[in-house]
Amino acid sequence: MELRNDQRERNHFHWRLVTALGIVLLAMCVLLGRFFYLQVIQHELYQTRAEDNRIKPMPIPPSRGIITDRNGVELARNYSAYTLEITPSKVSNLDKAIDDLASVVEITPKDRRRFKKLLDESKNFESLPIKNRLTDEEVAKFAAQSFRFPGIEVKARLFRQYPGGESASHLIGYIGRINDADKKRIDEDETLKDNYKGTDHIGKFGIELQYEEALHGKTGFEMVEVDVGNRAVRSLRKVKAVSGNKLVLTIDAKLQQLAEAAFGDHRGALVAIDPSNGDVLALVSRPGFDPNLFVDGIDPISWRELNDSADRPLNNRAIQGTYAPGSTFKPFMALAALETGKRTAQFGFNDPGFFVFANHTWRDDKKGGHGWVDMKTSIVHSCDTYYYQLAMDMGIDNIARFMAPFGFGQKSGVDLPGEKKGVLPSPEWKAKAFRDPRQKKWFGGDTPNIGIGQGFNTYTPIQLAQAMAILSNNGLIFRPHLVKYIEDAASGKRNYVAPQPVGKIELKQSNVDFIKDSMVGVNVAGTGARAFANAGYVSGGKTGTAQVFSLKGEKYNASKVAAHLKDNAWFIAFAPADKPKIALALIVENVGFGAEFAAPIARRVLDYWMLGKLPAEPAPIETPANPYDASDPDTATPHPEQDQ
């Protein structure tokens, strides 16, 4: 029988007690260590988290910068109003909620369509407007019933407005709600990410898009203490938003409106430039559209009307429309001939009314020809035969080489997005443009039509206006621009778009003077004389009538072709002749002869700019059944076209 060992039990008890005490001490050390880690080492982190739960930063979106014309006329501005907005994620049944809402505030079918479109495009956004610009009465009615509509609230917003409506819509552009694509682009750019918090709109088109960074401004913020229900209790700190900068454009709003009205219901474009500095004085594209439709999100019906219209009102014809320039190309051909020594001013011949090359015949616009034709006569009376032969004598390489510095076939660099290049034809261009090996080669028969501004030539109206500005300014080149200066919203400092020359074409002044004098002759005794009779100032000009499809040997009869296949009317001009302060180019689509339809518009524009003269009634141009029935002998002739 084993006897109890008291001493051993005491020893066991002692070790158990020591072990337990050690465990307790170790646990206390761990707890103290953790406490030290949380309270000392991680103090700032947890203090920040606590502050984050208590304090919320609220972004303050800036007021977008305004846009004015050169005389201070507002073209884009802001105003504040209330909007009724829905947060879709907080509403279980959207259709029912909107139906119920309609019993309190009028919700039109257009409001519903626009909301649905915004919902489809902006699914990631917190709240979307169902109705904008609420009246005080509507705000009061909703406020009294707001408990019935969780997820729906009234917000105060700044709205963009374009007071001119359709006027200058293509150059001013518009803003629209930030969509998923915009948001992705903003999130990927660290410089933009924080600055667009709280901002719902962004530039989408025109100047609004091109100068988005300058117009947007700098977002401010307010640190707000909130309660457990996330309701604001008090404001702790506030950093004001900085408004967007003010843009002052080079255009004259009155000149712009006058030119737009002169087009009437016709499609076309006009660009007027100050040759001495590149200021764009007017940039017209007709028809236009109302940019206000896009600010709140355009409804589907209005969008379809604009997008599906055969007149393509959303297309900025001034910088995106590419057209054959017709006879407005001839003064530049004549200058090329003088500069390259292919012609003298005195060289002439008896015009038979046609040109023959390799058994093909190209006809003049005047049956029987113009008689004796020298260079000045060829410009004043727009003799095609002269330029068929000249183009062949110069060769396509020389033509392309001379025309490129004038900006033909190149973007002008105007400060608008989406500009097209057009085509300055050359053998290299043709080799790249066509897939069929049989069409890649430049043939001799391709060249004569180049001389009269037909064939593969296609240019934008702003390219023609820029070329006219360079010629009238004796070869000195300024980049055309629409913004005169940007006024800093904070300091008021003006940053001017310095009108520095960007190049100079070395030309003999005597040659330039001869061409300009010949263009003065156009408006005195040539195809522009009727439109510029008794003008009260001396101007130079050139008409153009450009076909829009190949006749393939058939004779042109305006009364028998579809409206969209009728000729385009062109006119280029500068004034005053001795020291030009305006150069322009304009096109009227599918109306016929340039002298009949384009020159009168140029006359109204120059009258206003030179004399301050406004037309009593901006009578739109009329389209006769057959533009070649006009009494001008030059118009009552067959259409210029190659006989096969």
Side-chain angles (χ1 to χ4, degrees):
M1 180 177 178
E2 185 180 2
L3 298 178
R4 181 177 179 181
N5 189 336
D6 292 339
Q7 181 60 39
R8 187 176 59 188
E9 289 183 358
R10 280 197 296 273
N11 289 340
H12 287 170
F13 176 77
H14 174 76
W15 281 110
R16 284 198 292 269
L17 184 64
V18 170
T19 302
L21 183 60
I23 292 172
V24 170
L25 289 174
L26 181 62
M28 288 295 294
C29 288
V30 171
L31 287 174
L32 288 173
R34 181 64 177 169
F35 182 77
F36 181 81
Y37 175 78
L38 295 176
Q39 293 297 320
V40 179
I41 298 177
Q42 295 291 325
H43 171 76
E44 290 189 8
L45 172 65
Y46 289 100
Q47 185 181 37
T48 301
R49 288 185 179 181
E51 290 293 303
D52 286 347
N53 290 331
R54 185 177 66 88
I55 301 172
K56 297 289 185 185
M58 305 295 289
I60 305 173
S63 176
R64 194 172 180 83
I66 66 169
I67 303 173
T68 75
D69 83 336
R70 65 192 298 129
N71 299 312
V73 177
E74 289 188 349
L75 304 175
R77 63 191 179 195
N78 309 307
Y79 68 96
S80 59
Y82 291 108
T83 179
L84 191 56
E85 301 193 6
I86 299 176
T87 303
S89 60
K90 296 181 179 178
V91 179
S92 57
N93 188 329
L94 271 177
D95 292 334
K96 183 176 184 306
I98 294 173
D99 289 341
D100 293 343
L101 195 60
S103 65
V104 179
V105 176
E106 182 185 11
I107 306 294
T108 66
K110 186 176 180 179
D111 293 331
R112 291 173 186 261
R113 291 194 297 270
R114 186 179 59 236
F115 178 79
K116 186 176 184 308
K117 188 169 184 288
L118 290 174
L119 189 64
D120 293 339
E121 295 176 347
S122 310
K123 55 189 177 185
N124 290 332
F125 286 84
E126 290 185 353
S127 64
L128 300 171
I130 180 68
K131 186 175 180 63
N132 292 314
R133 304 178 189 84
L134 273 68
T135 64
D136 291 342
E137 184 181 358
E138 288 174 323
V139 172
K141 280 183 177 178
F142 177 79
Q145 300 286 324
S146 60
F147 66 90
R148 294 171 50 198
F149 302 103
I152 304 176
E153 59 186 334
V154 172
K155 291 186 177 180
R157 298 278 191 189
L158 279 175
F159 287 87
R160 195 66 158 173
Q161 186 186 41
Y162 304 99
E166 285 193 4
S167 182
S169 55
H170 291 91
L171 73 93
I172 300 169
Y174 55 82
I175 64 170
R177 292 186 67 84
I178 294 175
N179 58 28
D180 286 349
D182 298 322
K183 190 172 187 305
K184 182 180 179 184
R185 178 169 54 85
I186 291 169
D187 288 343
E188 291 174 349
D189 190 334
E190 290 299 325
T191 62
L192 299 178
K193 193 173 180 180
D194 289 339
N195 203 31
Y196 276 81
K197 288 181 177 176
T199 299
D200 298 319
H201 292 76
I202 195 169
K204 298 278 188 178
F205 185 73
I207 289 289
E208 291 275 30
L209 170 59
Q210 183 77 15
Y211 287 90
E212 168 63 26
E213 184 177 350
L215 287 166
H216 178 264
K218 187 175 181 180
T219 299
F221 64 89
E222 183 177 11
M223 304 305 290
V224 178
E225 183 177 353
V226 297
D227 60 16
V228 292
N230 215 28
R231 292 181 290 270
V233 176
R234 58 173 175 151
S235 175
L236 301 176
R237 186 162 63 95
K238 188 174 183 179
V239 176
K240 291 183 178 178
V242 178
S243 299
N245 296 325
K246 175 182 176 182
L247 295 189
V248 177
L249 305 188
T250 56
I251 69 163
D252 182 294
K254 281 189 178 179
L255 180 71
Q256 177 82 19
Q257 292 168 0
L258 180 148
E260 290 169 346
F263 277 82
D265 295 329
H266 291 282
R267 300 181 303 275
L270 177 148
V271 179
I273 297 174
D274 183 341
S276 67
N277 55 24
D279 282 1
V280 177
L281 306 174
L283 190 145
V284 174
S285 179
R286 303 298 296 168
F289 62 90
D290 185 356
N292 294 296
L293 291 173
F294 291 87
V295 175
D296 304 329
I298 188 169
D299 70 277
I301 292 178
S302 298
W303 170 249
R304 278 197 297 273
E305 287 176 355
L306 289 172
N307 199 42
D308 297 342
S309 171
D311 290 336
R312 294 175 298 157
L314 296 175
N315 184 26
N316 187 347
R317 289 172 160 81
I319 64 168
Q320 296 175 322
T322 56
Y323 310 86
S327 295
T328 58
F329 202 57
K330 291 173 180 173
F332 302 97
M333 283 291 297
L335 182 59
L338 293 174
E339 288 289 324
T340 58
K342 294 294 181 181
R343 289 285 188 276
T344 64
Q346 295 74 32
F347 172 83
F349 62 91
N350 272 311
D351 172 24
F354 59 87
F355 171 76
V356 179
F357 173 75
N359 296 324
H360 294 266
T361 300
W362 286 260
R363 298 191 182 281
D364 195 275
D365 67 322
K366 186 172 184 179
K367 191 174 182 180
H370 292 266
W372 179 261
V373 177
D374 57 16
M375 183 173 284
K376 184 169 184 177
T377 307
S378 74
I379 294 174
V380 171
H381 296 291
S382 199
C383 174
D384 288 342
T385 311
Y386 187 96
Y387 291 94
Y388 292 139
Q389 181 64 59
L390 176 58
M392 293 301 296
D393 291 347
M394 286 194 64
I396 187 61
D397 288 324
N398 284 331
I399 295 173
R401 194 177 302 118
F402 183 84
M403 297 299 175
F406 283 87
F408 289 108
Q410 302 172 55
K411 293 181 180 178
S412 69
V414 69
D415 41 354
L416 281 179
E419 185 180 6
K420 295 287 182 64
K421 288 178 61 177
V423 173
L424 174 60
S426 68
E428 292 75 20
W429 164 81
K430 194 176 181 187
K432 295 177 182 176
F434 290 89
R435 294 182 179 179
D436 188 339
R438 294 170 297 179
Q439 296 178 308
K440 286 178 173 291
K441 183 181 177 183
W442 187 272
F443 298 100
D446 292 333
T447 304
N449 274 336
I450 300 299
I452 64 165
Q454 293 281 173
F456 297 117
N457 283 309
T458 58
Y459 308 116
T460 61
I462 197 170
Q463 287 175 343
L464 264 294
Q466 172 70 347
M468 186 69 266
I470 295 171
L471 175 58
S472 65
N473 202 22
N474 305 321
L476 197 59
I477 305 171
F478 290 90
R479 180 180 64 82
H481 54 273
L482 282 159
V483 171
K484 196 168 188 66
Y485 62 83
I486 301 173
E487 186 174 293
D488 189 278
S491 66
K493 181 182 177 182
R494 294 179 176 181
N495 297 308
Y496 282 84
V497 177
Q500 299 298 322
V502 295
K504 187 174 192 322
I505 304 173
E506 295 301 329
L507 303 167
K508 289 183 180 177
Q509 191 59 46
S510 58
N511 292 338
V512 174
D513 292 341
F514 177 82
I515 298 300
K516 289 199 287 188
D517 182 63
S518 299
M519 293 182 72
V520 170
V522 171
N523 286 356
V524 173
T527 51
R530 188 189 307 171
F532 280 86
N534 305 313
Y537 52 88
V538 180
S539 64
K542 183 69 192 79
T543 56
T545 306
Q547 65 188 69
V548 299
F549 72 107
S550 175
L551 294 173
K552 297 182 179 178
E554 299 294 327
K555 288 187 177 180
Y556 179 83
N557 187 334
S559 64
K560 293 183 179 179
V561 300
H564 70 283
L565 295 179
K566 292 181 179 178
D567 291 344
N568 292 331
W570 277 100
F571 198 77
I572 59 173
F574 61 93
D578 56 344
K579 194 174 182 180
K581 58 181 183 179
I582 183 171
L584 63 80
L586 72 97
I587 183 172
V588 189
E589 292 182 5
N590 309 123
V591 292
F593 194 50
E596 194 80 16
F597 302 102
I601 295 177
R603 170 69 188 273
R604 290 170 200 161
V605 171
L606 295 187
D607 277 0
Y608 174 75
W609 201 246
M610 297 298 300
L611 308 173
K613 184 179 176 183
L614 290 168
E617 293 182 3
I621 53 179
E622 301 292 339
T623 307
N626 182 351
Y628 292 94
D629 289 340
S631 57
D632 190 323
D634 285 351
T635 69
T637 55
H639 193 272
E641 174 63 358
Q642 171 188 357
D643 283 350
Q644 301 297 322

